[in-house]
Amino acid sequence: MTRIRAWAAPAAKQKLERHDYDPGPLGDEEVEVAVEYCGMCHSDPSMIDVKVNGVNGVRPHNPCP
């Protein structure tokens, strides 16, 4: 699988920084999709800054992998 290059918030209220990672091999029921362009969802800043619906965001949070 291709190594993923993204921008991520390493912790709550932190600035986005470059985050490259290898997601590992594809599972039997998975496919690889090439993404050429990406945008941020309106909820991404909330996930970066604080909790959403009482749930902590996953870190690092990748709004645009």
Side-chain angles (χ1 to χ4, degrees):
M1 174 172 264
T2 304
R3 189 162 178 80
I4 294 176
R5 296 170 45 194
W7 289 91
K13 299 185 180 185
Q14 297 290 313
K15 291 183 178 182
L16 295 177
E17 59 186 46
R18 186 62 181 269
H19 180 69
D20 295 353
Y21 64 98
D22 182 351
L26 292 173
D28 292 339
E29 301 293 322
E30 297 177 322
V31 297
E32 185 170 352
V33 176
V35 176
E36 294 183 17
Y37 300 96
C38 176
M40 285 184 68
C41 175
H42 74 283
S43 63
D44 285 333
S46 296
M47 291 295 293
I48 292 168
D49 289 340
V50 290
K51 297 178 181 180
V52 174
N53 296 328
V55 178
N56 280 318
V58 176
R59 304 287 181 249
H61 177 65
N62 296 318
C64 191

